[in-house]
Amino acid sequence: MTIRVAQSGDSSTIAALHSLCFETPWPHETIIDFIANDLVLVSGDDVDGFIIVRHIVDEAEILSLAVTETRRQSGLGSSLVMAACEQLHQMGVRRLFLEVAADNHPARSLYEQAGFRQIGLRKAYYKRAIGPNGDAIIMAVDLPSHPIVTKN
């Protein structure tokens, strides 16, 4: 499994994967902007998964993480999170945040296994086409004490 920094040529594939995985997909132009200005890691040449992270000084936020349906439960999502943690730590980031839908149990489990802990809740944060809006759980991990960082 190869994880690498995304290149501009990956934008269409990332946008297509994002639209398959999320109810409100981001426009292609937004993906291009993230690749140009933020940390975007992808898996392999065919982009089986991606993680998009925005960082400012010593804090960062995972904005999106997606894995193709055929690669879910393979450890790819976890590998993308760990690779981002390593790279962010090398960039001087001390704390990494994210928001995850409260009812997205697989994603919550992945983040908890990666060391993230709940620090807050945003009620009715996610707009849903059907049914009530979904709550977002705010999670964070301190990178200097993260196992992937302290093993070196």
Side-chain angles (χ1 to χ4, degrees), residues 53-128:
V53 183
R54 173 158 286 160
H55 61 92
I56 299 173
V57 189
D58 64 347
E59 292 186 342
E61 179 182 7
I62 295 175
L63 301 177
S64 190
L65 170 69
V67 174
T68 59
E69 191 170 348
T70 58
R71 295 293 308 273
R72 292 183 189 152
Q73 303 298 315
S74 71
L76 178 54
S78 180
S79 294
L80 285 163
V81 170
M82 293 301 137
C85 286
E86 283 185 69
Q87 192 152 351
L88 290 165
H89 180 68
Q90 292 173 6
M91 296 164 64
V93 172
R94 301 185 56 74
R95 196 156 204 222
L96 179 57
F97 297 88
L98 62 88
E99 292 160 341
V100 61
D103 60 357
N104 188 343
H105 300 290
R108 287 178 57 190
S109 177
L110 179 147
Y111 294 129
E112 287 168 1
Q113 290 174 11
F116 286 81
R117 296 293 169 247
Q118 182 174 343
I119 61 167
L121 178 71
R122 295 184 198 274
K123 299 293 275 176
Y125 180 75
Y126 291 107
K127 306 292 182 224
R128 301 275 168 86

Coordinates of all heavy atoms in Angstrom, one line a residue, residues 53-128:
V53 N -6.4 17.5 4.9 CA -6.1 18.1 6.2 C -5.7 19.6 5.9 O -4.8 19.8 5.1 CB -5.0 17.4 6.9 CG1 -4.7 18.0 8.3 CG2 -5.3 15.9 7.1
R54 N -6.3 20.4 6.7 CA -5.9 21.9 6.7 C -5.1 22.1 7.9 O -5.6 21.7 9.0 CB -7.2 22.7 6.6 CG -6.8 24.2 6.8 CD -7.9 25.1 6.2 NE -7.8 25.0 4.8 CZ -8.7 25.4 3.9 NH1 -9.9 25.8 4.4 NH2 -8.5 25.3 2.6
H55 N -4.0 22.8 7.8 CA -3.2 23.1 9.0 C -2.9 24.6 9.1 O -2.7 25.3 8.1 CB -1.9 22.3 9.1 CG -1.0 22.5 7.9 ND1 0.0 23.4 7.9 CD2 -1.0 21.9 6.7 CE1 0.6 23.4 6.8 NE2 0.1 22.5 6.0
I56 N -2.9 25.1 10.3 CA -2.5 26.5 10.6 C -1.6 26.5 11.8 O -2.0 26.0 12.9 CB -3.7 27.4 10.8 CG1 -4.7 27.4 9.6 CG2 -3.3 28.8 11.2 CD1 -6.0 28.1 9.8
V57 N -0.4 26.9 11.6 CA 0.7 27.0 12.6 C 0.8 25.6 13.3 O 1.3 24.7 12.6 CB 0.4 28.1 13.7 CG1 1.6 28.3 14.6 CG2 0.1 29.4 13.0
D58 N 0.4 25.4 14.5 CA 0.6 24.1 15.2 C -0.7 23.3 15.4 O -0.7 22.4 16.2 CB 1.3 24.3 16.5 CG 0.5 25.1 17.5 OD1 -0.5 25.7 17.2 OD2 0.9 25.1 18.7
E59 N -1.8 23.7 14.7 CA -3.0 22.9 14.8 C -3.5 22.5 13.4 O -3.2 23.2 12.4 CB -4.1 23.7 15.5 CG -3.9 23.9 16.9 CD -5.0 24.6 17.6 OE1 -5.9 25.2 17.0 OE2 -5.0 24.5 18.9
A60 N -4.2 21.4 13.3 CA -4.7 21.0 12.0 C -6.1 20.3 12.2 O -6.4 19.9 13.3 CB -3.7 20.0 11.4
E61 N -6.8 20.2 11.1 CA -8.1 19.6 11.1 C -8.3 18.6 9.9 O -8.0 19.0 8.8 CB -9.2 20.6 11.1 CG -10.6 20.0 11.1 CD -11.7 21.1 11.0 OE1 -11.4 22.3 10.8 OE2 -12.9 20.7 11.1
I62 N -8.7 17.4 10.2 CA -9.1 16.5 9.1 C -10.4 17.0 8.5 O -11.4 17.1 9.2 CB -9.2 15.1 9.6 CG1 -7.8 14.6 10.0 CG2 -9.7 14.2 8.4 CD1 -7.8 13.2 10.6
L63 N -10.4 17.4 7.3 CA -11.6 17.9 6.6 C -12.4 16.8 6.0 O -13.6 16.9 5.9 CB -11.3 19.0 5.6 CG -10.5 20.2 6.1 CD1 -10.2 21.2 5.0 CD2 -11.3 20.9 7.2
S64 N -11.7 15.8 5.5 CA -12.4 14.7 4.8 C -11.5 13.5 4.7 O -10.3 13.6 4.6 CB -12.8 15.2 3.4 OG -13.7 14.2 2.8
L65 N -12.1 12.3 4.8 CA -11.4 11.1 4.6 C -12.4 10.1 3.9 O -13.5 10.0 4.3 CB -11.0 10.5 6.0 CG -10.5 9.0 6.0 CD1 -9.2 8.9 5.4 CD2 -10.5 8.5 7.5
A66 N -11.9 9.5 2.9 CA -12.8 8.6 2.2 C -12.0 7.4 1.6 O -10.8 7.6 1.2 CB -13.5 9.3 1.0
V67 N -12.6 6.3 1.5 CA -12.0 5.0 1.0 C -13.0 4.4 0.1 O -14.2 4.3 0.4 CB -11.6 4.1 2.1 CG1 -11.1 2.8 1.6 CG2 -10.5 4.7 3.0
T68 N -12.6 3.9 -1.1 CA -13.5 3.2 -2.0 C -14.2 2.0 -1.2 O -13.6 1.4 -0.3 CB -12.8 2.6 -3.2 OG1 -11.8 1.7 -2.8 CG2 -12.2 3.7 -4.1
E69 N -15.4 1.7 -1.7 CA -16.1 0.7 -1.0 C -15.4 -0.7 -1.0 O -15.4 -1.4 0.0 CB -17.5 0.5 -1.7 CG -18.4 -0.4 -0.9 CD -19.8 -0.3 -1.4 OE1 -20.2 0.5 -2.3 OE2 -20.6 -1.2 -1.0
T70 N -14.7 -1.0 -2.0 CA -14.0 -2.2 -2.1 C -12.7 -2.3 -1.2 O -12.3 -3.4 -0.9 CB -13.5 -2.5 -3.6 OG1 -12.6 -1.4 -4.0 CG2 -14.7 -2.7 -4.5
R71 N -12.3 -1.2 -0.7 CA -11.1 -1.2 0.2 C -11.4 -0.9 1.6 O -10.5 -0.8 2.5 CB -10.1 -0.1 -0.3 CG -9.4 -0.4 -1.6 CD -8.5 -1.6 -1.7 NE -7.5 -1.6 -0.6 CZ -6.3 -1.0 -0.7 NH1 -6.0 -0.4 -1.8 NH2 -5.5 -1.1 0.3
R72 N -12.7 -0.7 1.9 CA -13.1 -0.5 3.3 C -12.8 -1.7 4.2 O -12.9 -2.8 3.7 CB -14.6 -0.1 3.4 CG -14.8 1.3 2.8 CD -16.2 1.8 2.9 NE -16.3 3.0 2.1 CZ -17.4 3.4 1.5 NH1 -18.5 2.8 1.7 NH2 -17.4 4.5 0.8
Q73 N -12.6 -1.5 5.4 CA -12.2 -2.6 6.4 C -10.9 -3.3 6.0 O -10.6 -4.4 6.5 CB -13.4 -3.6 6.4 CG -14.7 -3.1 6.8 CD -14.7 -2.4 8.2 OE1 -14.2 -3.0 9.1 NE2 -15.3 -1.2 8.3
S74 N -10.1 -2.6 5.2 CA -8.8 -3.2 4.8 C -7.6 -2.5 5.6 O -6.5 -2.9 5.4 CB -8.5 -3.0 3.3 OG -8.3 -1.6 3.0
G75 N -7.9 -1.5 6.4 CA -6.9 -0.8 7.1 C -6.4 0.4 6.4 O -5.5 1.2 6.9
L76 N -6.9 0.7 5.2 CA -6.5 1.8 4.4 C -6.8 3.2 5.1 O -6.0 4.1 5.1 CB -7.1 1.8 3.0 CG -6.8 3.0 2.1 CD1 -5.3 3.1 1.9 CD2 -7.4 2.7 0.7
G77 N -8.0 3.3 5.6 CA -8.4 4.5 6.3 C -7.5 4.8 7.5 O -7.0 5.9 7.7
S78 N -7.2 3.8 8.3 CA -6.2 3.9 9.4 C -4.9 4.3 8.9 O -4.2 5.2 9.5 CB -6.2 2.6 10.2 OG -5.3 2.7 11.2
S79 N -4.4 3.7 7.8 CA -3.1 4.0 7.3 C -3.0 5.5 6.8 O -2.0 6.2 7.0 CB -2.8 3.1 6.1 OG -2.6 1.8 6.5
L80 N -4.1 6.0 6.2 CA -4.1 7.4 5.8 C -4.1 8.3 7.0 O -3.3 9.3 7.0 CB -5.4 7.7 5.0 CG -5.4 7.1 3.5 CD1 -6.8 7.1 3.0 CD2 -4.4 8.0 2.7
V81 N -4.8 8.0 8.1 CA -4.8 8.8 9.3 C -3.4 8.8 9.9 O -2.8 9.8 10.3 CB -5.8 8.3 10.3 CG1 -5.7 9.0 11.6 CG2 -7.2 8.6 9.8
M82 N -2.8 7.6 10.0 CA -1.4 7.5 10.6 C -0.4 8.3 9.7 O 0.5 9.0 10.3 CB -1.0 6.1 10.7 CG -1.8 5.3 11.8 SD -1.7 6.1 13.4 CE -3.4 5.9 13.9
A83 N -0.5 8.2 8.4 CA 0.5 8.9 7.5 C 0.3 10.4 7.7 O 1.3 11.1 7.8 CB 0.2 8.5 6.1
A84 N -1.0 10.9 7.8 CA -1.2 12.3 8.0 C -0.6 12.7 9.4 O 0.0 13.8 9.5 CB -2.7 12.6 7.9
C85 N -0.8 11.9 10.4 CA -0.3 12.3 11.8 C 1.2 12.4 11.7 O 1.8 13.4 12.3 CB -0.7 11.2 12.8 SG -2.4 11.3 13.3
E86 N 1.9 11.5 11.1 CA 3.4 11.5 10.9 C 3.8 12.8 10.2 O 4.7 13.5 10.7 CB 3.9 10.3 10.2 CG 3.9 9.1 11.0 CD 4.6 7.9 10.2 OE1 5.8 8.0 10.0 OE2 3.8 7.0 9.9
Q87 N 3.2 13.1 9.1 CA 3.6 14.2 8.3 C 3.3 15.5 9.0 O 4.1 16.4 9.0 CB 2.9 14.2 6.9 CG 3.5 15.2 6.0 CD 3.3 14.8 4.5 OE1 2.9 13.7 4.2 NE2 3.7 15.7 3.6
L88 N 2.1 15.6 9.7 CA 1.8 16.8 10.4 C 2.7 17.1 11.6 O 3.1 18.2 11.8 CB 0.3 16.7 10.9 CG -0.7 16.8 9.8 CD1 -2.1 16.3 10.3 CD2 -0.8 18.2 9.2
H89 N 3.1 16.0 12.2 CA 4.0 16.1 13.4 C 5.4 16.7 12.8 O 6.0 17.6 13.5 CB 4.2 14.8 14.1 CG 5.2 14.9 15.2 ND1 4.9 15.6 16.4 CD2 6.5 14.4 15.3 CE1 6.0 15.5 17.2 NE2 6.9 14.8 16.6
Q90 N 5.8 16.2 11.7 CA 7.1 16.7 11.1 C 7.0 18.2 10.7 O 8.0 18.9 10.7 CB 7.5 15.9 9.9 CG 7.9 14.4 10.3 CD 8.1 13.6 9.0 OE1 8.0 14.0 7.9 NE2 8.3 12.3 9.3
M91 N 5.7 18.6 10.5 CA 5.5 20.0 10.1 C 5.3 20.9 11.3 O 5.1 22.1 11.2 CB 4.2 20.1 9.2 CG 4.4 19.4 7.9 SD 2.8 19.1 7.0 CE 2.3 20.7 6.7
G92 N 5.4 20.3 12.5 CA 5.3 21.1 13.7 C 3.9 21.2 14.3 O 3.6 21.9 15.3
V93 N 2.9 20.4 13.7 CA 1.6 20.4 14.3 C 1.5 19.7 15.6 O 2.1 18.6 15.7 CB 0.6 19.8 13.2 CG1 -0.8 19.6 13.8 CG2 0.5 20.7 12.0
R94 N 0.9 20.2 16.6 CA 0.8 19.6 17.9 C -0.5 19.0 18.2 O -0.6 18.0 19.0 CB 1.1 20.7 19.0 CG 2.5 21.3 18.8 CD 2.9 22.2 19.8 NE 2.9 21.7 21.2 CZ 3.8 20.8 21.7 NH1 4.8 20.4 21.0 NH2 3.6 20.4 22.9
R95 N -1.6 19.5 17.6 CA -2.9 18.9 17.9 C -3.7 18.8 16.6 O -3.7 19.7 15.7 CB -3.7 19.8 18.9 CG -4.9 19.1 19.5 CD -5.2 19.7 20.8 NE -5.9 18.8 21.6 CZ -7.0 19.1 22.4 NH1 -7.4 20.3 22.5 NH2 -7.6 18.2 23.1
L96 N -4.4 17.7 16.4 CA -5.2 17.4 15.2 C -6.7 17.2 15.6 O -7.0 16.4 16.5 CB -4.7 16.2 14.5 CG -5.3 15.7 13.3 CD1 -5.4 16.7 12.2 CD2 -4.6 14.4 12.8
F97 N -7.6 17.9 14.9 CA -9.0 17.9 15.2 C -9.7 17.3 14.1 O -9.2 17.2 13.0 CB -9.5 19.3 15.4 CG -9.0 20.1 16.5 CD1 -7.8 20.8 16.4 CD2 -9.6 20.1 17.8 CE1 -7.2 21.5 17.4 CE2 -9.0 20.8 18.8 CZ -7.9 21.5 18.7
L98 N -11.0 16.9 14.3 CA -11.9 16.5 13.3 C -13.3 16.5 13.8 O -13.6 16.6 15.0 CB -11.6 15.1 12.8 CG -11.7 13.9 13.8 CD1 -13.1 13.3 13.8 CD2 -10.7 12.8 13.4
E99 N -14.3 16.5 12.9 CA -15.7 16.4 13.2 C -16.2 15.1 12.4 O -15.8 14.9 11.3 CB -16.5 17.6 12.7 CG -16.1 18.8 13.6 CD -16.5 20.1 12.9 OE1 -16.7 20.1 11.7 OE2 -16.6 21.1 13.6
V100 N -17.0 14.3 13.1 CA -17.5 13.1 12.5 C -19.0 13.0 12.9 O -19.3 13.3 14.0 CB -16.7 11.9 12.9 CG1 -16.7 11.7 14.4 CG2 -17.1 10.6 12.2
A101 N -19.8 12.5 12.0 CA -21.2 12.3 12.2 C -21.4 11.3 13.4 O -20.7 10.3 13.4 CB -21.9 11.8 11.0
A102 N -22.2 11.7 14.4 CA -22.4 10.9 15.5 C -22.9 9.5 15.2 O -22.6 8.5 15.9 CB -23.4 11.5 16.5
D103 N -23.6 9.4 14.1 CA -24.1 8.1 13.7 C -23.2 7.3 12.7 O -23.6 6.2 12.2 CB -25.6 8.2 13.1 CG -25.6 9.1 11.8 OD1 -24.6 9.7 11.5 OD2 -26.7 9.3 11.3
N104 N -22.0 7.8 12.4 CA -21.1 7.1 11.6 C -20.1 6.3 12.5 O -19.0 6.6 12.7 CB -20.3 8.2 10.8 CG -19.4 7.5 9.7 OD1 -19.1 6.3 9.8 ND2 -18.9 8.3 8.8
H105 N -20.7 5.2 12.9 CA -19.9 4.3 13.8 C -18.6 3.8 13.3 O -17.6 3.7 14.0 CB -20.9 3.2 14.4 CG -22.1 3.8 15.1 ND1 -22.0 4.4 16.3 CD2 -23.4 3.9 14.7 CE1 -23.2 4.9 16.6 NE2 -24.0 4.5 15.7
P106 N -18.5 3.3 12.0 CA -17.2 2.9 11.5 C -16.2 3.9 11.6 O -15.0 3.7 12.0 CB -17.6 2.4 10.1 CG -19.0 2.1 10.1 CD -19.6 3.1 11.1
A107 N -16.5 5.2 11.2 CA -15.5 6.3 11.2 C -15.1 6.6 12.6 O -14.0 6.8 12.9 CB -16.1 7.5 10.5
R108 N -16.1 6.7 13.5 CA -15.8 6.9 14.9 C -14.9 5.9 15.5 O -13.9 6.2 16.2 CB -17.1 7.0 15.7 CG -17.9 8.3 15.4 CD -19.2 8.3 16.2 NE -18.9 8.2 17.6 CZ -19.9 8.1 18.5 NH1 -21.2 8.0 18.1 NH2 -19.7 8.0 19.8
S109 N -15.1 4.6 15.2 CA -14.2 3.6 15.7 C -12.8 3.7 15.1 O -11.8 3.6 15.8 CB -14.8 2.2 15.2 OG -14.0 1.2 15.6
L110 N -12.7 4.0 13.8 CA -11.4 4.2 13.2 C -10.6 5.3 14.0 O -9.5 5.2 14.3 CB -11.6 4.6 11.7 CG -10.3 4.9 10.9 CD1 -10.5 4.4 9.5 CD2 -9.9 6.3 11.0
Y111 N -11.3 6.5 14.2 CA -10.6 7.6 14.9 C -10.3 7.3 16.3 O -9.2 7.6 16.8 CB -11.5 8.8 14.8 CG -11.7 9.4 13.4 CD1 -12.9 9.6 12.8 CD2 -10.5 9.6 12.5 CE1 -13.1 10.1 11.5 CE2 -10.7 10.0 11.2 CZ -12.0 10.3 10.8 OH -12.1 10.8 9.5
E112 N -11.1 6.6 17.0 CA -10.8 6.2 18.4 C -9.6 5.3 18.4 O -8.8 5.4 19.3 CB -12.1 5.6 19.0 CG -13.2 6.6 19.4 CD -14.5 5.9 19.7 OE1 -14.6 4.7 19.7 OE2 -15.4 6.7 19.9
Q113 N -9.6 4.3 17.5 CA -8.4 3.4 17.5 C -7.1 4.2 17.1 O -6.1 3.7 17.5 CB -8.7 2.3 16.5 CG -9.7 1.3 16.9 CD -10.1 0.3 15.8 OE1 -9.4 0.2 14.8 NE2 -11.1 -0.4 16.1
A114 N -7.3 5.3 16.4 CA -6.1 6.1 16.1 C -5.7 7.1 17.2 O -4.8 7.8 17.1 CB -6.4 6.9 14.8
G115 N -6.4 7.0 18.4 CA -6.1 7.8 19.5 C -6.9 9.1 19.7 O -6.7 9.8 20.7
F116 N -7.8 9.4 18.8 CA -8.7 10.5 19.0 C -9.7 10.3 20.1 O -10.2 9.2 20.3 CB -9.5 10.8 17.7 CG -8.6 11.4 16.6 CD1 -7.8 10.6 15.8 CD2 -8.6 12.8 16.3 CE1 -7.1 11.1 14.7 CE2 -7.9 13.3 15.3 CZ -7.1 12.4 14.5
R117 N -10.0 11.4 20.8 CA -11.0 11.4 21.9 C -12.0 12.5 21.7 O -11.6 13.6 21.2 CB -10.3 11.6 23.3 CG -9.3 10.4 23.6 CD -10.1 9.1 23.8 NE -9.2 8.0 23.9 CZ -9.1 7.0 23.0 NH1 -9.9 7.0 21.9 NH2 -8.3 6.0 23.1
Q118 N -13.2 12.3 22.1 CA -14.3 13.3 22.0 C -14.0 14.4 22.9 O -13.7 14.3 24.1 CB -15.6 12.7 22.3 CG -16.8 13.7 22.1 CD -18.1 13.1 22.3 OE1 -18.3 11.9 22.2 NE2 -19.1 13.9 22.5
I119 N -14.1 15.7 22.3 CA -13.9 16.9 23.1 C -15.1 17.8 23.0 O -15.2 18.8 23.7 CB -12.7 17.6 22.7 CG1 -12.7 18.1 21.2 CG2 -11.4 16.8 23.0 CD1 -11.7 19.1 20.9
G120 N -16.1 17.5 22.2 CA -17.3 18.3 22.0 C -18.3 17.7 21.1 O -18.2 16.6 20.6
L121 N -19.4 18.5 21.0 CA -20.6 18.0 20.2 C -21.2 19.2 19.5 O -21.4 20.3 20.2 CB -21.6 17.3 21.1 CG -22.9 16.8 20.4 CD1 -22.6 15.6 19.5 CD2 -23.9 16.4 21.5
R122 N -21.5 19.1 18.2 CA -22.2 20.1 17.5 C -23.6 19.5 17.1 O -23.7 18.6 16.3 CB -21.5 20.6 16.3 CG -20.2 21.2 16.5 CD -19.6 21.7 15.2 NE -18.2 22.0 15.2 CZ -17.7 23.1 15.6 NH1 -18.4 24.1 16.0 NH2 -16.3 23.3 15.6
K123 N -24.6 20.0 17.8 CA -26.0 19.5 17.5 C -26.5 20.0 16.1 O -26.2 21.1 15.7 CB -27.0 20.1 18.6 CG -26.6 19.7 20.0 CD -26.8 18.2 20.2 CE -28.2 17.9 20.6 NZ -28.4 16.4 20.7
A124 N -27.1 19.0 15.4 CA -27.7 19.3 14.1 C -26.7 19.9 13.1 O -27.1 20.8 12.3 CB -29.0 20.1 14.3
Y125 N -25.5 19.5 13.2 CA -24.4 20.1 12.3 C -24.5 19.7 10.9 O -24.3 20.5 10.0 CB -23.1 19.8 12.9 CG -21.9 20.3 12.2 CD1 -21.5 21.6 12.3 CD2 -21.1 19.5 11.4 CE1 -20.4 22.2 11.6 CE2 -20.0 20.0 10.7 CZ -19.7 21.3 10.8 OH -18.6 21.8 10.1
Y126 N -24.7 18.4 10.6 CA -24.8 17.9 9.3 C -26.2 18.0 8.7 O -27.1 17.4 9.3 CB -24.3 16.4 9.2 CG -22.8 16.3 9.5 CD1 -22.4 15.7 10.8 CD2 -21.9 16.6 8.6 CE1 -21.1 15.6 11.0 CE2 -20.5 16.5 8.9 CZ -20.1 16.0 10.1 OH -18.8 15.8 10.4
K127 N -26.3 18.7 7.6 CA -27.6 18.8 6.9 C -27.9 17.5 6.2 O -27.0 17.0 5.4 CB -27.6 20.0 5.9 CG -27.1 21.3 6.5 CD -28.2 21.8 7.4 CE -27.7 23.2 8.0 NZ -27.9 23.3 9.4
R128 N -29.0 17.0 6.4 CA -29.4 15.7 5.7 C -30.6 15.9 4.8 O -31.5 16.7 5.1 CB -29.9 14.7 6.8 CG -28.8 14.4 7.9 CD -27.9 13.3 7.3 NE -26.7 13.1 8.1 CZ -26.5 12.4 9.2 NH1 -27.5 11.7 9.7 NH2 -25.3 12.2 9.7

